[in-house]
Amino acid sequence: MTHLAPEVVGTSGTAHSRTGTGTPDAGPVASSSTARRPWTSRRRVLAIAEGVVSLTAALGYMLLSRRIDVNPIVRLGQVSGLATLQMYAAVIGLPLLGLLLYTAHRGPDRRHRLVKRLVCAALAGLATGVIAGGVVVALHGTPHPLGGQEGDPGVLIDMANSFLHHEGMSGIYPPAFPALMALWAKIRYNGRGETGFALHDLQIFFTAVAGPMAYLAWRILLRPFWALLIAVPAAVLFLDPIRPYSHIVMIVLLPLLGYWLREMRLAGRRGTRHLVVRALVLGVTFGALFLWYSGWYIWAAPGALVAALFFFPWRQGAATARKAGIYIGVTLLSAAVVGAPLLYQMARLGSENPDRYAFLAVYADPGYVLGWVSDRSGTLTYQTWPVAGEMAGQSGFALLLLFGVGLGLGLGMRNIMVRTAAAVLAGAWLARFWFAGHMAQDKAIQLYPRTTWIIMYCLMILAVLGMMAVVDRGAGWIERTLRPRVAGAGSASDSDSGSVPAAGLARVIPQRVVRQLAAGMVCVVALFAAMGASWSVNRYMPSSDVDTMGIDAYRAHVIKQRDGSCPRFSPRENCWDIEKNDWKPGPIQDFIWCAGIVADDWPAVCGMEAPKRVRSRADIERDAEAERQARKEADRTGQDVRKK
């Protein structure tokens, strides 16, 4: 099963490594002279080509979407924008898929393998390029970012302003992204006051490159199809364009962790210099990701520690153990040096920053980990979300996903990434319920709902690797069991007695069929990417409803531009001024703030009376009635003007 083979890039499977996924027992790669091979078969050249193609597809599509000229405030304009995005994706993607199908049915195998690598890389870029293009459409006519100056975007803007004032880090929040905002604002927009414009640009850029980063991270472990099958659903599902940098870290961290554990496991077969270089590069990478967004390290740490103890080569002799110890030490030291600023802030201020913000995911069943609702939950409540499935509350999707996880745990345990994902899943699961169990007593949330993302990501990884194990083992079983013998082949007894078996055994599954099946599956992933990206984009289309995710794009259209005028499609005549504040730590309250709960329900949900600034049902109804009366008065005024 060459093209669906779940082999690790750069390694070869062995007879006792049926999954072919780079187990610690895998033998060394049989190298041949590269002088006799064409440049298209050289691994480094192909890796660079995949990266260039994926990034070009993502960023090129994002730039192409700037040609879409619609009014994003009006729903008909939003629909036209969504349709144009899909049309652009089809114009780019269909020729690529046609080329892939053509080479699968005709031509040499080497050409098809090259085409498939590049097409998979391009599709990974297009998947998040469409989402970035949707953000471009949603923010068309305004230089401000999603979220405007409210909520988390407002905090990031203030942090970037503080960096421009050389005030240093802002509390224990990872400093890399606000620092990059400040740098880009200084280079592109002449400094303070325009950090919001910088956030606008970086939201779009990092949304676009999320797909390529996810795909390239998984390519260090998996072949193109399997890397695409994990990277695209993960990027489309988890990507949050308001803070795209945070989920990129989660998606990239797990394959890097699996790769790091694999190298430690194989320490006895590596030279010391090789291990030190790998450890240094990975340590710097881990440290940089920690500065970029540190939250995922908390949830992955318990499982990663257990996996490291399990994979450490305890029984391979003192020399191997010493090499593995050097590898671990260099990784930790280099990561600590890079992440030192944030580690210092956490040690100094960590106990002074409890998380007391609650929203819908906090009130819902903590055992539900297959869906996410932010604090923009619309009309949903903890009584209506999550929607109960058909079997013990679990939906059909949940049962299928869990079935795939069972395949991964049952058939793919020789794969080091299966064991890594399982360990991280177990650690995050325990941490989730530990913090949730102490929430009422400690009056702190500690961001435990965010474990939903990493738990679901691990489940998706295990399910895909389970499918991979089924394909590999099933193909091997079919070939061994049903392969016909040619005339004159030796019998089983001859083979057992040491006779040389006859050569030239025919394949049960022709290589051509495998190529065609793989190409068809890539087309299905591409279709999912197009539909999923449109779903993701549609959530962020501007809406004045403060309970929907569209409010973030709407707020970007009601802030003044640099010249003091309103944005082109602003629904308001009087827009808000650009704020130029520095970051200041907010007051620490001694109770959980129950967001999204009206004052009447605070005693039942939060166990206390609501603060004075929380609205009651009567306040909401009064404001709604006032809005209806104002709308009627405006209609009457318009009718009088038309009569005159």
Side-chain angles (χ1 to χ4, degrees):
M1 299 291 286
T2 303
H3 296 289
L4 289 177
E7 296 178 16
V8 177
V9 176
T11 64
S12 59
T14 60
H16 56 276
S17 176
R18 293 185 180 180
T19 56
T21 50
T23 66
D25 300 325
V29 179
S31 61
S32 59
S33 175
T34 58
R36 298 180 180 179
R37 293 185 293 171
W39 67 270
T40 54
S41 64
R42 298 181 182 179
R43 197 173 66 185
R44 290 184 180 179
V45 174
L46 291 175
I48 294 174
E50 283 186 83
V52 171
V53 168
S54 191
L55 289 171
T56 300
L59 298 177
Y61 186 94
M62 180 265 292
L63 294 175
L64 179 63
S65 65
R66 296 170 65 89
R67 298 174 56 88
I68 301 175
D69 186 11
V70 295
N71 183 350
I73 300 297
V74 179
R75 182 56 187 171
L76 292 181
Q78 297 171 8
V79 173
S80 293
L82 292 171
T84 306
L85 289 171
Q86 291 297 304
M87 183 184 68
Y88 287 170
V91 169
I92 298 173
L94 288 179
L96 295 176
L97 297 177
L99 178 62
L100 178 67
L101 291 171
Y102 176 81
T103 59
H105 287 77
R106 297 180 180 274
D109 184 67
R110 174 178 292 176
R111 183 177 67 183
H112 173 69
R113 289 200 303 267
L114 174 62
V115 169
K116 189 174 72 171
R117 293 180 71 151
L118 298 182
V119 168
C120 287
L123 292 178
L126 284 175
T128 50
V130 174
I131 301 177
V135 177
V136 171
V137 173
L139 299 178
H140 181 51
T142 177
H144 297 285
L146 290 173
Q149 300 173 145
E150 305 293 323
D152 290 347
V155 174
L156 290 172
I157 292 172
D158 294 346
M159 289 180 176
N161 287 335
S162 296
F163 271 105
L164 287 173
H165 274 173
H166 307 288
E167 294 184 2
M169 292 178 56
S170 303
I172 61 172
Y173 196 83
F177 189 77
L180 181 61
M181 284 175 56
L183 178 62
W184 183 245
K186 190 172 183 179
I187 295 174
R188 179 70 175 83
Y189 298 107
N190 302 320
R192 187 171 181 268
E194 283 74 31
T195 50
F197 300 165
L199 179 57
H200 170 279
D201 296 345
L202 295 180
Q203 283 178 340
I204 296 172
F205 175 80
F206 284 106
T207 296
V209 301
M213 291 183 67
Y215 174 77
L216 295 175
W218 279 107
R219 280 292 286 125
I220 66 176
L221 290 172
L222 303 175
R223 285 183 179 267
F225 172 76
W226 299 110
L228 185 72
L229 192 56
I230 295 179
V232 166
V236 171
L237 180 61
F238 299 124
L239 187 60
D240 185 1
I242 298 178
R243 295 174 298 274
Y245 57 93
S246 65
H247 289 82
I248 290 177
V249 173
M250 181 192 75
I251 295 172
V252 169
L253 179 62
L254 263 68
L256 289 180
L257 181 60
Y259 180 78
W260 181 81
L261 290 170
R262 189 191 71 178
E263 291 298 305
M264 181 188 68
R265 183 71 166 173
L266 298 176
R269 304 181 185 181
R270 311 295 194 198
T272 303
R273 180 179 179 182
H274 172 94
L275 285 174
V276 170
V277 172
R278 293 288 176 93
L280 183 62
V281 172
L282 287 169
V284 171
T285 303
F286 286 137
L289 291 175
F290 182 74
L291 293 179
W292 200 243
Y293 193 79
S294 58
W296 307 115
Y297 285 76
I298 299 174
W299 315 121
L305 177 60
V306 172
L309 294 174
F310 181 79
F311 290 128
F312 190 86
W314 302 101
R315 301 181 180 180
Q316 298 183 24
T320 299
R322 183 170 58 252
K323 285 184 178 181
I326 293 173
Y327 177 76
I328 295 173
V330 172
T331 302
L332 294 178
L333 180 61
S334 55
V337 169
V338 175
L342 183 55
L343 290 172
Y344 172 74
Q345 289 287 89
M346 287 181 168
R348 187 170 68 92
L349 302 173
S351 61
E352 301 177 5
N353 290 269
D355 170 39
R356 305 193 193 277
Y357 183 76
F359 54 98
L360 178 57
V362 177
Y363 317 133
D365 174 17
Y368 181 71
V369 294
L370 296 181
W372 172 260
V373 173
S374 69
D375 53 356
R376 311 273 199 269
S377 54
T379 59
L380 296 175
T381 67
Y382 64 89
Q383 291 97 346
T384 61
W385 184 86
V387 178
E390 301 83 2
M391 186 166 183
Q394 308 307 309
S395 65
F397 163 74
L399 297 177
L400 287 175
L401 181 65
L402 294 177
F403 177 73
V405 172
L407 294 177
L409 295 175
L411 300 178
M413 285 301 290
R414 292 180 179 178
N415 184 341
I416 198 168
M417 194 61 226
V418 169
R419 288 179 278 182
T420 301
V424 172
L425 170 62
W429 187 270
L430 292 175
R432 174 186 182 87
F433 292 108
W434 168 265
F435 288 113
H438 289 74
M439 173 178 59
Q441 179 181 355
D442 297 342
K443 297 181 180 180
I445 310 299
Q446 299 308 99
L447 300 177
Y448 90 80
R450 297 192 181 186
T451 56
T452 300
W453 282 314
I454 196 167
I455 289 173
M456 189 172 182
Y457 187 34
C458 290
L459 291 174
M460 293 168 58
I461 293 170
L462 291 172
V464 171
L465 296 182
M467 295 169 56
M468 191 171 65
V470 168
V471 169
D472 184 56
R473 288 200 176 194
W477 181 85
I478 291 174
E479 292 294 337
R480 291 191 305 272
T481 305
L482 303 180
R483 176 182 295 172
R485 292 183 177 274
V486 297
S491 63
S493 59
D494 294 335
S495 299
D496 294 339
S497 61
S499 301
V500 179
L505 299 182
R507 290 181 58 91
V508 175
I509 305 177
Q511 190 68 27
R512 174 176 53 83
V513 174
V514 177
R515 288 163 45 180
Q516 295 167 3
L517 176 61
M521 292 297 103
V522 171
C523 294
V524 170
V525 175
L527 182 59
F528 167 82
M531 296 188 297
S534 186
W535 162 83
S536 180
V537 167
N538 185 53
R539 297 178 300 164
Y540 293 95
M541 287 299 166
S543 171
S544 59
D545 187 351
V546 296
D547 292 326
T548 66
M549 300 176 74
I551 189 62
D552 293 305
Y554 183 87
R555 286 171 173 167
H557 288 274
V558 295
I559 306 174
K560 292 180 181 178
Q561 301 183 96
R562 179 181 291 179
D563 59 3
S565 63
C566 287
R568 176 183 172 188
F569 300 108
S570 176
R572 300 178 52 176
E573 295 182 359
N574 298 319
C575 295
W576 301 334
D577 294 328
I578 297 177
E579 297 179 0
K580 302 180 180 181
N581 303 322
D582 291 338
W583 181 83
K584 301 295 182 185
I588 299 177
Q589 58 196 24
D590 60 353
F591 62 92
I592 292 178
W593 180 267
C594 293
I597 302 298
V598 296
D600 312 68
D601 294 337
W602 268 63
V605 177
C606 311
M608 59 175 290
E609 294 294 329
K612 293 183 179 179
R613 60 182 182 274
V614 179
R615 296 194 303 167
S616 65
R617 289 191 181 89
D619 297 329
I620 296 173
E621 292 174 359
R622 185 180 61 251
D623 294 344
E625 181 62 27
E627 184 178 352
R628 285 193 294 268
Q629 293 298 331
R631 192 178 296 114
K632 290 180 180 179
E633 186 63 29
D635 291 341
R636 292 195 195 99
T637 303
Q639 291 175 2
D640 293 340
V641 170
R642 286 192 295 271
K643 289 179 180 179
K644 292 180 180 180

